Coordinates of all heavy atoms in Angstrom, one line a residue:
M12 N -6.7 -42.1 -14.2 CA -7.0 -41.3 -15.5 C -8.2 -41.8 -16.1 O -8.4 -43.0 -16.3 CB -5.8 -41.3 -16.4 CG -6.1 -40.5 -17.7 SD -4.8 -40.5 -18.9 CE -3.5 -39.7 -17.9
I13 N -9.2 -40.9 -16.4 CA -10.5 -41.2 -17.1 C -10.3 -41.0 -18.5 O -10.0 -39.8 -18.9 CB -11.7 -40.5 -16.5 CG1 -11.8 -40.8 -14.9 CG2 -13.0 -40.7 -17.0 CD1 -12.7 -39.9 -14.2
K14 N -10.6 -42.0 -19.4 CA -10.3 -41.8 -20.8 C -11.7 -41.9 -21.6 O -11.7 -41.7 -22.8 CB -9.5 -42.9 -21.3 CG -8.1 -42.9 -20.7 CD -7.2 -43.9 -21.3 CE -5.8 -43.8 -20.7 NZ -4.9 -44.7 -21.2
S15 N -12.8 -42.1 -21.0 CA -14.1 -42.1 -21.6 C -15.2 -41.6 -20.7 O -15.0 -41.5 -19.6 CB -14.4 -43.5 -22.1 OG -14.5 -44.4 -21.0
T16 N -16.4 -41.4 -21.3 CA -17.6 -41.0 -20.4 C -17.8 -42.0 -19.3 O -17.7 -43.2 -19.4 CB -18.8 -40.9 -21.3 OG1 -18.6 -39.9 -22.2 CG2 -19.9 -40.5 -20.4
T17 N -17.8 -41.5 -18.1 CA -17.8 -42.4 -16.9 C -18.5 -41.8 -15.8 O -18.6 -40.5 -15.5 CB -16.2 -42.5 -16.4 OG1 -15.4 -43.1 -17.5 CG2 -16.2 -43.4 -15.2
T18 N -19.2 -42.6 -15.0 CA -19.8 -42.2 -13.7 C -19.0 -42.7 -12.5 O -18.7 -43.9 -12.5 CB -21.3 -42.7 -13.6 OG1 -22.0 -42.1 -14.7 CG2 -21.9 -42.4 -12.3
V19 N -18.6 -41.8 -11.7 CA -17.9 -42.2 -10.4 C -18.8 -42.0 -9.3 O -19.5 -41.0 -9.1 CB -16.6 -41.3 -10.3 CG1 -16.0 -41.7 -9.0 CG2 -15.8 -41.5 -11.5
K20 N -19.0 -43.1 -8.4 CA -19.7 -43.0 -7.2 C -18.8 -43.2 -6.0 O -17.9 -44.0 -6.1 CB -20.7 -44.1 -7.1 CG -21.9 -43.9 -8.3 CD -22.7 -45.0 -8.2 CE -23.9 -44.9 -9.3 NZ -24.9 -45.9 -9.3
A21 N -19.0 -42.4 -5.0 CA -18.0 -42.6 -3.8 C -18.8 -42.3 -2.5 O -19.8 -41.5 -2.5 CB -16.9 -41.5 -3.9
I22 N -18.2 -43.0 -1.5 CA -18.7 -42.8 0.0 C -17.5 -42.7 0.9 O -16.4 -43.2 0.4 CB -19.7 -43.8 0.4 CG1 -19.1 -45.2 0.4 CG2 -21.0 -43.8 -0.5 CD1 -20.0 -46.3 1.1
T23 N -17.7 -42.3 2.0 CA -16.6 -42.3 3.0 C -17.2 -43.3 4.1 O -18.3 -43.3 4.4 CB -16.4 -41.0 3.7 OG1 -17.5 -40.4 4.2 CG2 -15.8 -40.0 2.6
I24 N -16.3 -44.0 4.6 CA -16.5 -45.0 5.7 C -15.5 -45.0 6.7 O -14.3 -44.9 6.5 CB -16.5 -46.5 5.1 CG1 -17.6 -46.6 3.9 CG2 -16.8 -47.5 6.1 CD1 -17.5 -48.0 3.3
K25 N -16.0 -44.9 8.0 CA -15.0 -44.8 9.1 C -15.6 -45.7 10.3 O -16.9 -45.7 10.5 CB -14.9 -43.3 9.6 CG -14.0 -43.2 10.8 CD -13.7 -41.8 11.2 CE -12.7 -41.7 12.4 NZ -12.4 -40.4 12.7
E26 N -14.8 -46.5 10.8 CA -15.2 -47.5 11.8 C -16.0 -46.7 12.9 O -15.6 -45.7 13.4 CB -14.0 -48.3 12.3 CG -14.4 -49.4 13.3 CD -13.2 -50.2 13.8 OE1 -12.3 -50.4 12.8 OE2 -13.2 -50.6 14.8
G27 N -17.1 -47.3 13.3 CA -17.9 -46.7 14.4 C -18.8 -45.7 14.0 O -19.6 -45.0 14.8
M28 N -18.8 -45.3 12.7 CA -19.7 -44.2 12.2 C -20.6 -44.7 10.9 O -20.1 -45.7 10.3 CB -18.9 -43.0 11.8 CG -18.1 -42.4 12.8 SD -17.3 -40.8 12.3 CE -18.7 -39.7 12.3
S29 N -21.7 -44.1 10.7 CA -22.4 -44.4 9.6 C -21.8 -43.9 8.4 O -21.1 -42.9 8.4 CB -23.8 -43.8 9.6 OG -24.5 -44.2 10.8
P30 N -21.9 -44.8 7.2 CA -21.3 -44.3 6.0 C -21.9 -43.0 5.5 O -23.1 -42.6 5.8 CB -21.7 -45.4 5.0 CG -22.0 -46.7 5.8 CD -22.6 -46.0 7.1
S31 N -21.2 -42.2 4.7 CA -21.7 -41.0 4.2 C -22.8 -41.2 3.1 O -23.0 -42.4 2.7 CB -20.6 -40.1 3.6 OG -20.2 -40.7 2.4
V32 N -23.3 -40.2 2.6 CA -24.3 -40.3 1.5 C -23.3 -40.7 0.2 O -22.2 -40.4 0.3 CB -25.2 -39.1 1.2 CG1 -26.0 -38.8 2.4 CG2 -24.3 -37.9 0.9
V33 N -24.0 -41.3 -0.8 CA -23.3 -41.6 -2.0 C -23.3 -40.3 -2.8 O -24.3 -39.7 -3.1 CB -23.9 -42.8 -2.8 CG1 -23.2 -43.0 -4.1 CG2 -24.0 -43.9 -1.9
I34 N -22.0 -40.0 -3.3 CA -21.8 -38.8 -4.1 C -21.6 -39.3 -5.6 O -20.8 -40.3 -5.8 CB -20.6 -38.0 -3.8 CG1 -20.8 -37.5 -2.3 CG2 -20.3 -36.8 -4.7 CD1 -21.9 -36.5 -2.1
V35 N -22.3 -38.8 -6.5 CA -22.3 -39.3 -7.9 C -21.9 -38.2 -8.8 O -22.4 -37.1 -8.7 CB -23.7 -39.8 -8.3 CG1 -23.6 -40.4 -9.8 CG2 -24.1 -40.9 -7.5
V36 N -20.7 -38.4 -9.6 CA -20.3 -37.4 -10.5 C -20.1 -38.1 -11.9 O -19.6 -39.2 -12.0 CB -18.9 -36.9 -10.0 CG1 -18.4 -35.9 -11.0 CG2 -19.1 -36.3 -8.7
D37 N -20.7 -37.4 -12.9 CA -20.6 -37.8 -14.2 C -19.4 -37.1 -15.0 O -19.4 -35.9 -14.9 CB -21.8 -37.7 -15.0 CG -22.9 -38.6 -14.5 OD1 -22.7 -39.8 -14.2 OD2 -24.1 -38.0 -14.3
F38 N -18.5 -37.8 -15.7 CA -17.5 -37.2 -16.5 C -17.8 -37.5 -17.9 O -18.1 -38.8 -18.2 CB -16.1 -37.8 -16.1 CG -15.7 -37.3 -14.8 CD1 -16.0 -38.2 -13.6 CD2 -15.0 -36.2 -14.5 CE1 -15.5 -37.9 -12.3 CE2 -14.6 -35.9 -13.2 CZ -14.9 -36.7 -12.1
F39 N -17.8 -36.6 -18.8 CA -18.3 -36.8 -20.1 C -17.0 -36.5 -21.1 O -16.4 -35.4 -21.0 CB -19.3 -35.7 -20.5 CG -20.6 -36.1 -19.8 CD1 -20.9 -35.3 -18.7 CD2 -21.5 -37.1 -20.2 CE1 -22.0 -35.6 -17.9 CE2 -22.6 -37.2 -19.5 CZ -22.9 -36.5 -18.4
K40 N -16.8 -37.4 -22.0 CA -15.7 -37.2 -23.0 C -16.3 -36.3 -24.1 O -17.3 -36.6 -24.7 CB -15.3 -38.5 -23.5 CG -14.1 -38.4 -24.6 CD -13.7 -39.7 -25.0 CE -12.7 -39.4 -26.1 NZ -11.6 -40.5 -26.2
K41 N -15.5 -35.2 -24.4 CA -16.0 -34.3 -25.5 C -15.8 -35.0 -26.7 O -14.8 -35.7 -27.0 CB -15.1 -33.1 -25.4 CG -15.6 -32.0 -26.3 CD -14.7 -30.7 -26.2 CE -13.3 -31.0 -26.6 NZ -12.4 -29.8 -26.7
P42 N -16.8 -35.0 -27.7 CA -16.7 -35.6 -29.0 C -15.5 -35.0 -29.8 O -15.1 -33.8 -29.7 CB -18.0 -35.2 -29.7 CG -18.9 -35.0 -28.7 CD -18.1 -34.3 -27.5
K43 N -14.7 -35.9 -30.4 CA -13.5 -35.6 -31.2 C -13.8 -34.5 -32.2 O -14.8 -34.5 -32.9 CB -12.9 -36.8 -31.8 CG -11.6 -36.6 -32.5 CD -11.1 -37.9 -33.0 CE -9.7 -37.7 -33.6 NZ -9.0 -38.8 -33.9
G44 N -12.9 -33.5 -32.3 CA -13.1 -32.4 -33.2 C -14.0 -31.2 -32.8 O -14.0 -30.2 -33.4
R45 N -14.7 -31.4 -31.7 CA -15.5 -30.3 -31.2 C -14.7 -29.1 -30.6 O -13.8 -29.4 -29.8 CB -16.5 -30.7 -30.2 CG -17.6 -29.7 -29.8 CD -18.7 -30.2 -29.0 NE -19.5 -31.0 -29.9 CZ -20.6 -31.7 -29.5 NH1 -20.9 -31.6 -28.1 NH2 -21.2 -32.5 -30.3
R46 N -15.0 -27.9 -31.1 CA -14.2 -26.8 -30.6 C -15.2 -25.5 -30.4 O -16.2 -25.5 -30.9 CB -13.2 -26.4 -31.6 CG -12.0 -27.4 -31.7 CD -10.9 -26.9 -32.7 NE -11.4 -26.6 -34.0 CZ -11.5 -27.3 -35.0 NH1 -11.1 -28.6 -35.0 NH2 -11.9 -26.8 -36.2
I47 N -14.7 -24.6 -29.7 CA -15.5 -23.4 -29.4 C -14.6 -22.2 -29.5 O -13.5 -22.3 -29.0 CB -16.2 -23.5 -28.0 CG1 -17.2 -22.3 -27.9 CG2 -15.3 -23.5 -26.9 CD1 -18.2 -22.5 -26.8
K48 N -15.2 -21.2 -30.1 CA -14.4 -19.9 -30.1 C -15.3 -18.8 -29.4 O -16.4 -18.6 -29.9 CB -14.1 -19.6 -31.5 CG -13.4 -18.3 -31.7 CD -13.0 -17.8 -33.1 CE -12.2 -16.6 -33.2 NZ -11.9 -16.2 -34.5
L49 N -14.7 -18.3 -28.4 CA -15.4 -17.2 -27.7 C -15.3 -15.9 -28.4 O -14.1 -15.5 -28.8 CB -15.0 -16.9 -26.3 CG -15.2 -18.1 -25.3 CD1 -14.6 -17.8 -23.9 CD2 -16.7 -18.4 -25.2
L50 N -16.3 -15.2 -28.7 CA -16.3 -13.8 -29.3 C -16.6 -12.7 -28.5 O -16.6 -11.5 -28.8 CB -17.2 -13.8 -30.6 CG -17.0 -14.9 -31.7 CD1 -18.0 -14.8 -32.7 CD2 -15.7 -14.8 -32.2
S51 N -16.9 -13.1 -27.1 CA -17.1 -12.2 -26.1 C -16.4 -12.7 -24.8 O -16.2 -13.9 -24.7 CB -18.6 -11.9 -25.8 OG -19.3 -13.2 -25.6
N52 N -16.0 -11.8 -23.9 CA -15.3 -12.2 -22.7 C -16.3 -12.5 -21.6 O -17.1 -11.8 -21.3 CB -14.4 -11.1 -22.4 CG -13.3 -10.8 -23.4 OD1 -12.7 -11.7 -23.9 ND2 -13.0 -9.6 -23.5
Y53 N -16.0 -13.7 -20.8 CA -16.8 -13.8 -19.7 C -16.2 -13.1 -18.5 O -15.1 -12.7 -18.5 CB -16.7 -15.4 -19.4 CG -15.4 -16.1 -19.4 CD1 -14.5 -16.1 -18.4 CD2 -14.9 -16.8 -20.6 CE1 -13.2 -16.6 -18.4 CE2 -13.7 -17.4 -20.6 CZ -12.9 -17.3 -19.5 OH -11.7 -18.0 -19.5
N54 N -17.0 -13.0 -17.5 CA -16.7 -12.3 -16.2 C -15.5 -13.1 -15.5 O -15.6 -14.3 -15.4 CB -17.8 -12.2 -15.3 CG -17.6 -11.3 -14.1 OD1 -16.8 -11.7 -13.2 ND2 -18.2 -10.1 -14.1
A55 N -14.5 -12.3 -15.0 CA -13.3 -12.9 -14.4 C -13.7 -13.7 -13.1 O -13.1 -14.6 -12.7 CB -12.3 -11.9 -14.0
K56 N -14.8 -13.5 -12.5 CA -15.4 -14.1 -11.2 C -16.0 -15.5 -11.7 O -16.0 -16.3 -10.8 CB -16.4 -13.3 -10.6 CG -15.9 -12.1 -9.9 CD -17.1 -11.3 -9.3 CE -16.6 -10.0 -8.7 NZ -17.7 -9.3 -8.1
Y57 N -16.4 -15.7 -12.9 CA -17.0 -16.9 -13.3 C -16.5 -17.5 -14.5 O -16.9 -17.4 -15.7 CB -18.6 -16.7 -13.5 CG -19.2 -15.8 -12.3 CD1 -19.4 -14.5 -12.5 CD2 -19.5 -16.5 -11.2 CE1 -20.0 -13.8 -11.4 CE2 -20.1 -15.8 -10.1 CZ -20.3 -14.4 -10.2 OH -20.8 -13.7 -9.2
T58 N -15.4 -18.2 -14.3 CA -14.5 -18.7 -15.5 C -14.8 -20.1 -15.9 O -14.4 -20.5 -17.0 CB -13.0 -18.5 -15.2 OG1 -12.7 -19.3 -14.1 CG2 -12.7 -17.0 -14.9
S59 N -15.5 -20.9 -15.1 CA -15.6 -22.2 -15.4 C -14.3 -22.9 -15.8 O -13.3 -22.6 -15.1 CB -16.6 -22.6 -16.5 OG -16.8 -23.9 -16.7
S60 N -14.2 -23.6 -16.9 CA -12.9 -24.1 -17.3 C -12.5 -23.5 -18.6 O -12.0 -24.0 -19.6 CB -12.9 -25.6 -17.6 OG -14.1 -26.0 -18.3
G61 N -12.7 -22.1 -18.7 CA -12.5 -21.3 -19.9 C -13.5 -21.6 -20.9 O -14.6 -22.1 -20.6
A62 N -13.1 -21.4 -22.2 CA -14.0 -21.5 -23.3 C -14.7 -23.0 -23.3 O -15.9 -23.1 -23.6 CB -13.4 -21.2 -24.6
E63 N -13.8 -24.0 -23.0 CA -14.3 -25.3 -23.0 C -15.4 -25.6 -22.0 O -16.2 -26.6 -22.2 CB -13.1 -26.4 -22.6 CG -12.1 -26.2 -23.7 CD -12.5 -26.7 -25.1 OE1 -13.1 -27.8 -25.1 OE2 -12.2 -26.0 -26.0
G64 N -15.6 -24.6 -21.0 CA -16.6 -24.9 -20.0 C -18.0 -24.8 -20.6 O -19.0 -25.3 -20.0
L65 N -18.1 -24.2 -21.8 CA -19.5 -24.2 -22.4 C -19.9 -25.3 -23.2 O -21.0 -25.5 -23.6 CB -19.6 -22.9 -23.4 CG -19.5 -21.6 -22.6 CD1 -19.4 -20.5 -23.7 CD2 -20.6 -21.4 -21.7
I66 N -18.8 -26.3 -23.4 CA -19.2 -27.5 -24.2 C -18.7 -28.8 -23.5 O -18.5 -29.8 -24.2 CB -18.6 -27.4 -25.6 CG1 -17.1 -27.2 -25.6 CG2 -19.2 -26.3 -26.5 CD1 -16.4 -27.3 -27.0
D67 N -18.5 -28.6 -22.3 CA -17.9 -29.9 -21.5 C -19.0 -30.7 -20.8 O -18.6 -31.6 -20.1 CB -16.8 -29.4 -20.5 CG -17.4 -28.6 -19.4 OD1 -18.5 -28.3 -19.3 OD2 -16.5 -28.2 -18.6
Y68 N -20.3 -30.4 -21.0 CA -21.3 -31.1 -20.4 C -21.5 -31.0 -19.0 O -22.1 -31.8 -18.3 CB -21.2 -32.6 -20.8 CG -21.3 -32.9 -22.2 CD1 -20.2 -33.2 -23.0 CD2 -22.5 -33.0 -22.9 CE1 -20.2 -33.6 -24.2 CE2 -22.5 -33.3 -24.3 CZ -21.4 -33.5 -25.0 OH -21.5 -33.9 -26.3
T69 N -20.7 -30.1 -18.4 CA -20.7 -29.8 -16.9 C -21.8 -28.8 -16.6 O -21.8 -27.7 -17.2 CB -19.4 -29.5 -16.3 OG1 -18.5 -30.5 -16.7 CG2 -19.4 -29.3 -14.9
W70 N -22.7 -29.0 -15.7 CA -23.7 -28.2 -15.3 C -23.2 -27.4 -14.0 O -22.7 -28.0 -13.2 CB -25.0 -28.8 -15.0 CG -25.8 -29.4 -16.1 CD1 -25.1 -30.2 -17.0 CD2 -27.0 -29.1 -16.6 NE1 -26.1 -30.6 -18.0 CE2 -27.2 -29.8 -17.8 CE3 -28.0 -28.2 -16.3 CZ2 -28.5 -29.7 -18.6 CZ3 -29.1 -28.1 -17.0 CH2 -29.3 -28.8 -18.1
G71 N -23.5 -26.1 -13.8 CA -23.2 -25.4 -12.6 C -24.1 -25.9 -11.5 O -25.3 -26.4 -11.8
N72 N -23.6 -26.0 -10.3 CA -24.4 -26.5 -9.2 C -25.2 -25.4 -8.6 O -25.3 -24.3 -9.1 CB -23.6 -27.3 -8.2 CG -22.5 -26.3 -7.5 OD1 -22.7 -25.1 -7.6 ND2 -21.5 -26.9 -6.9
Y73 N -25.8 -25.7 -7.5 CA -26.6 -24.7 -6.9 C -26.0 -23.5 -6.3 O -26.5 -22.5 -6.1 CB -27.5 -25.4 -5.6 CG -26.6 -25.8 -4.5 CD1 -26.3 -25.0 -3.5 CD2 -25.9 -27.0 -4.5 CE1 -25.4 -25.3 -2.4 CE2 -25.1 -27.4 -3.6 CZ -24.9 -26.5 -2.4 OH -24.0 -26.9 -1.5
Y74 N -24.7 -23.6 -6.1 CA -23.8 -22.6 -5.6 C -23.2 -21.8 -6.8 O -22.2 -22.2 -7.3 CB -22.8 -23.0 -4.6 CG -21.9 -22.0 -3.9 CD1 -22.5 -21.1 -3.1 CD2 -20.6 -22.0 -4.2 CE1 -21.8 -20.1 -2.5 CE2 -19.8 -21.0 -3.5 CZ -20.4 -20.1 -2.7 OH -19.6 -19.2 -2.1
F75 N -23.8 -20.6 -7.2 CA -23.4 -20.0 -8.4 C -22.0 -19.5 -8.3 O -21.4 -19.1 -9.4 CB -24.3 -18.9 -8.8 CG -24.3 -17.7 -7.8 CD1 -23.4 -16.6 -8.2 CD2 -25.0 -17.6 -6.8 CE1 -23.3 -15.5 -7.3 CE2 -25.0 -16.5 -5.9 CZ -24.1 -15.4 -6.2
K76 N -21.4 -19.4 -7.2 CA -19.9 -18.8 -7.0 C -19.0 -20.1 -7.3 O -17.8 -19.9 -7.1 CB -19.8 -18.3 -5.8 CG -20.4 -16.8 -5.6 CD -20.1 -16.2 -4.4 CE -20.9 -14.8 -4.3 NZ -20.7 -14.1 -3.1
S77 N -19.5 -21.3 -7.5 CA -18.6 -22.4 -7.6 C -17.8 -22.2 -9.0 O -18.1 -21.4 -9.8 CB -19.3 -23.7 -7.6 OG -19.9 -24.0 -9.0
T78 N -16.7 -23.1 -9.1 CA -16.0 -23.0 -10.4 C -16.7 -23.5 -11.5 O -16.0 -23.6 -12.6 CB -14.6 -23.6 -10.2 OG1 -14.9 -25.0 -9.8 CG2 -13.8 -23.0 -9.1
Q79 N -17.8 -24.0 -11.5 CA -18.6 -24.7 -12.6 C -19.3 -23.7 -13.5 O -19.7 -24.0 -14.5 CB -19.5 -25.7 -12.1 CG -18.9 -26.9 -11.4 CD -19.9 -27.9 -10.6 OE1 -20.7 -27.3 -10.1 NE2 -19.6 -29.0 -10.8
W80 N -19.4 -22.5 -13.0 CA -20.2 -21.5 -13.7 C -19.3 -20.7 -14.7 O -18.2 -20.3 -14.3 CB -20.9 -20.6 -12.8 CG -22.1 -21.3 -12.1 CD1 -22.1 -21.9 -10.9 CD2 -23.4 -21.3 -12.6 NE1 -23.4 -22.3 -10.6 CE2 -24.2 -22.1 -11.6 CE3 -24.1 -20.9 -13.8 CZ2 -25.5 -22.3 -11.8 CZ3 -25.4 -21.2 -13.9 CH2 -26.1 -21.9 -12.9
Q81 N -19.8 -20.3 -15.7 CA -19.3 -19.4 -16.6 C -20.1 -18.1 -16.7 O -21.3 -18.4 -17.2 CB -18.9 -19.9 -18.0 CG -18.0 -18.8 -18.7 CD -17.5 -19.4 -20.0 OE1 -18.0 -19.2 -21.0 NE2 -16.4 -20.2 -19.9
G82 N -19.8 -16.9 -16.3 CA -20.7 -15.8 -16.2 C -20.3 -14.7 -17.3 O -19.2 -14.4 -17.5
Y83 N -21.4 -14.1 -17.6 CA -21.3 -13.0 -18.6 C -22.2 -11.9 -18.0 O -23.4 -12.1 -17.6 CB -21.9 -13.3 -20.0 CG -20.9 -14.3 -20.7 CD1 -21.1 -15.6 -20.4 CD2 -20.0 -13.9 -21.5 CE1 -20.1 -16.6 -21.1 CE2 -19.2 -14.7 -22.2 CZ -19.2 -16.0 -21.9 OH -18.4 -16.9 -22.5
Q84 N -21.6 -10.7 -17.7 CA -22.4 -9.6 -17.1 C -22.2 -8.5 -18.0 O -21.0 -8.0 -18.4 CB -21.8 -9.2 -15.6 CG -22.4 -10.2 -14.6 CD -21.9 -9.8 -13.3 OE1 -20.8 -10.0 -13.0 NE2 -22.8 -9.2 -12.4
E85 N -23.3 -7.7 -18.3 CA -23.2 -6.5 -19.1 C -22.6 -6.7 -20.4 O -22.1 -5.8 -21.1 CB -22.5 -5.5 -18.3 CG -23.2 -5.0 -17.0 CD -22.5 -4.0 -16.2 OE1 -21.7 -3.3 -16.7 OE2 -22.9 -3.8 -14.9
T86 N -22.7 -7.9 -21.0 CA -22.2 -8.2 -22.3 C -23.0 -9.4 -22.9 O -23.4 -10.2 -22.0 CB -20.7 -8.6 -22.4 OG1 -20.3 -8.7 -23.7 CG2 -20.3 -9.7 -21.6
D87 N -23.1 -9.5 -24.1 CA -23.8 -10.6 -24.7 C -22.8 -11.8 -24.7 O -21.7 -11.7 -25.0 CB -24.4 -10.2 -26.1 CG -25.5 -9.3 -26.2 OD1 -26.2 -9.2 -25.1 OD2 -25.6 -8.6 -27.2
L88 N -23.5 -13.0 -24.7 CA -22.7 -14.3 -25.0 C -22.7 -14.4 -26.5 O -23.8 -14.4 -27.2 CB -23.4 -15.4 -24.3 CG -22.9 -16.8 -24.7 CD1 -21.4 -17.0 -24.4 CD2 -23.7 -18.0 -24.1
N89 N -21.5 -14.4 -27.1 CA -21.3 -14.5 -28.4 C -20.2 -15.6 -28.8 O -19.1 -15.3 -28.4 CB -21.0 -13.2 -29.1 CG -21.0 -13.2 -30.6 OD1 -21.5 -14.1 -31.2 ND2 -20.7 -12.0 -31.1
V90 N -20.6 -16.8 -29.2 CA -19.6 -17.8 -29.5 C -19.9 -18.6 -30.9 O -20.9 -18.4 -31.4 CB -19.7 -18.9 -28.3 CG1 -19.4 -18.4 -27.1 CG2 -21.0 -19.6 -28.4
V91 N -18.9 -19.2 -31.3 CA -19.0 -20.1 -32.5 C -18.6 -21.5 -32.0 O -17.6 -21.6 -31.5 CB -18.0 -19.7 -33.7 CG1 -18.1 -20.7 -34.7 CG2 -18.4 -18.3 -34.1
V92 N -19.6 -22.5 -32.2 CA -19.2 -23.8 -31.8 C -19.0 -24.6 -33.1 O -19.9 -24.7 -34.0 CB -20.4 -24.5 -31.1 CG1 -20.1 -25.9 -30.8 CG2 -20.7 -23.7 -29.8
D93 N -17.8 -25.3 -33.2 CA -17.5 -26.0 -34.3 C -17.7 -27.5 -34.0 O -17.0 -27.9 -33.1 CB -16.1 -25.8 -34.8 CG -15.6 -26.5 -36.0 OD1 -16.3 -27.5 -36.4 OD2 -14.4 -26.3 -36.5
L94 N -18.6 -28.3 -34.7 CA -18.9 -29.6 -34.3 C -17.8 -30.6 -34.8 O -17.8 -31.7 -34.6 CB -20.2 -30.1 -34.7 CG -21.3 -29.3 -34.2 CD1 -22.7 -29.7 -34.8 CD2 -21.4 -29.3 -32.7
G95 N -16.9 -30.1 -35.6 CA -15.8 -30.9 -36.2 C -16.1 -31.6 -37.5 O -15.2 -32.0 -38.1
S96 N -17.3 -31.7 -37.9 CA -17.7 -32.3 -39.1 C -19.2 -31.8 -39.4 O -19.9 -31.3 -38.6 CB -17.6 -33.8 -39.0 OG -18.5 -34.3 -38.0
T97 N -19.6 -32.1 -40.6 CA -21.0 -31.8 -41.0 C -21.9 -32.9 -40.2 O -21.7 -34.0 -40.3 CB -21.3 -32.0 -42.5 OG1 -20.4 -31.0 -43.1 CG2 -22.7 -31.6 -42.8
Q98 N -22.9 -32.4 -39.5 CA -23.7 -33.2 -38.7 C -25.2 -32.8 -38.7 O -25.4 -31.6 -38.9 CB -23.3 -33.3 -37.3 CG -21.9 -33.8 -37.1 CD -21.6 -33.7 -35.5 OE1 -22.4 -33.7 -34.7 NE2 -20.2 -33.6 -35.3
K99 N -26.2 -33.7 -38.6 CA -27.6 -33.3 -38.6 C -27.8 -32.9 -37.1 O -27.4 -33.6 -36.2 CB -28.4 -34.5 -38.8 CG -29.9 -34.2 -38.7 CD -30.8 -35.3 -39.2 CE -32.2 -35.0 -38.9 NZ -33.1 -36.1 -39.3
V100 N -28.3 -31.7 -36.9 CA -28.5 -31.2 -35.6 C -30.1 -31.1 -35.4 O -30.8 -30.5 -36.1 CB -27.9 -29.7 -35.3 CG1 -28.2 -29.1 -34.0 CG2 -26.4 -29.9 -35.6
N101 N -30.6 -31.8 -34.4 CA -32.0 -31.7 -34.0 C -32.3 -30.8 -32.9 O -33.6 -30.4 -32.9 CB -32.4 -33.2 -33.7 CG -32.3 -34.2 -34.6 OD1 -32.6 -33.9 -35.8 ND2 -31.8 -35.4 -34.3
K102 N -31.4 -30.4 -32.1 CA -31.8 -29.5 -31.0 C -30.4 -28.8 -30.6 O -29.4 -29.5 -30.6 CB -32.3 -30.4 -29.9 CG -32.7 -29.6 -28.5 CD -33.1 -30.6 -27.6 CE -33.6 -29.8 -26.3 NZ -34.1 -30.7 -25.2
I103 N -30.6 -27.5 -30.2 CA -29.5 -26.8 -29.5 C -30.3 -26.3 -28.3 O -31.3 -25.7 -28.3 CB -29.2 -25.7 -30.4 CG1 -28.5 -26.1 -31.8 CG2 -28.3 -24.7 -29.6 CD1 -28.2 -25.1 -32.7
A104 N -29.6 -26.5 -27.1 CA -30.0 -26.1 -25.9 C -29.0 -25.4 -25.1 O -27.9 -25.6 -25.0 CB -30.7 -27.3 -25.1
L105 N -29.5 -24.3 -24.4 CA -28.6 -23.6 -23.4 C -29.3 -23.4 -22.1 O -30.6 -23.3 -22.1 CB -28.3 -22.1 -24.0 CG -27.6 -22.1 -25.3 CD1 -27.6 -20.6 -25.8 CD2 -26.2 -22.7 -25.1
T106 N -28.7 -23.4 -21.0 CA -29.3 -23.0 -19.8 C -28.6 -21.8 -19.2 O -27.5 -21.6 -19.3 CB -29.1 -24.3 -18.7 OG1 -27.8 -24.5 -18.6 CG2 -30.0 -25.5 -19.3
F107 N -29.4 -21.0 -18.5 CA -29.0 -19.7 -17.9 C -29.5 -19.5 -16.6 O -30.6 -20.1 -16.2 CB -29.4 -18.6 -18.9 CG -28.9 -18.5 -20.3 CD1 -29.5 -19.2 -21.2 CD2 -27.7 -18.0 -20.5 CE1 -29.1 -19.3 -22.6 CE2 -27.2 -18.0 -21.8 CZ -27.9 -18.6 -22.8
L108 N -28.9 -18.8 -15.8 CA -29.3 -18.4 -14.6 C -29.4 -16.9 -14.5 O -28.4 -16.2 -14.9 CB -28.4 -18.8 -13.4 CG -28.8 -18.3 -11.9 CD1 -30.1 -18.8 -11.5 CD2 -27.7 -18.8 -11.0

């Protein structure tokens, strides 16, 4: 069980064969109190991890059909992000494909 922001690195090793490449995956702990409310529906083909997929620090990979993407087609993305407390915000960033 991962309880805090963590980087996991893994390889496969089999006798008589070269080791695999190192795979690196970052897991991020969501800040306490942070919540999101979707005001528009995402496409059923691209659900990510539901509403939390927009604030879980996970980026979609090169394969857009993977479960990491959350998709909106023919509708605007409309959400409310609650940071859980009053905070100074220096930057808001979104990435889209």
Side-chain angles (χ1 to χ4, degrees):
M12 181 177 291
I13 298 172
K14 296 182 179 183
S15 62
T16 297
T17 303
T18 298
V19 175
K20 297 179 182 182
I22 63 168
T23 58
I24 299 173
K25 183 174 182 177
E26 190 174 319
M28 298 184 75
S29 299
S31 71
V32 298
V33 177
I34 302 297
V35 180
V36 179
D37 295 315
F38 294 90
F39 297 94
K40 182 174 179 157
K41 184 176 71 171
K43 189 175 183 172
R45 185 168 295 175
R46 294 184 304 269
I47 187 167
K48 180 179 180 182
L49 295 179
L50 304 176
S51 54
N52 296 321
Y53 48 81
N54 186 293
K56 292 180 184 179
Y57 309 104
T58 61
S59 184
S60 54
E63 298 292 313
L65 294 176
I66 59 172
D67 67 359
Y68 298 102
T69 301
W70 289 60
N72 63 20
Y73 65 92
Y74 184 62
F75 71 91
K76 291 184 180 181
S77 79
T78 59
Q79 296 171 317
W80 287 93
Q81 187 169 101
Y83 293 82
Q84 278 182 289
E85 299 178 14
T86 186
D87 292 335
L88 169 61
N89 192 2
V90 300
V91 175
V92 177
D93 180 353
L94 299 177
S96 64
T97 301
Q98 299 176 26
K99 180 178 179 184
V100 176
N101 294 318
K102 179 180 179 181
I103 295 174
L105 301 170
T106 57
F107 297 92
L108 172 65

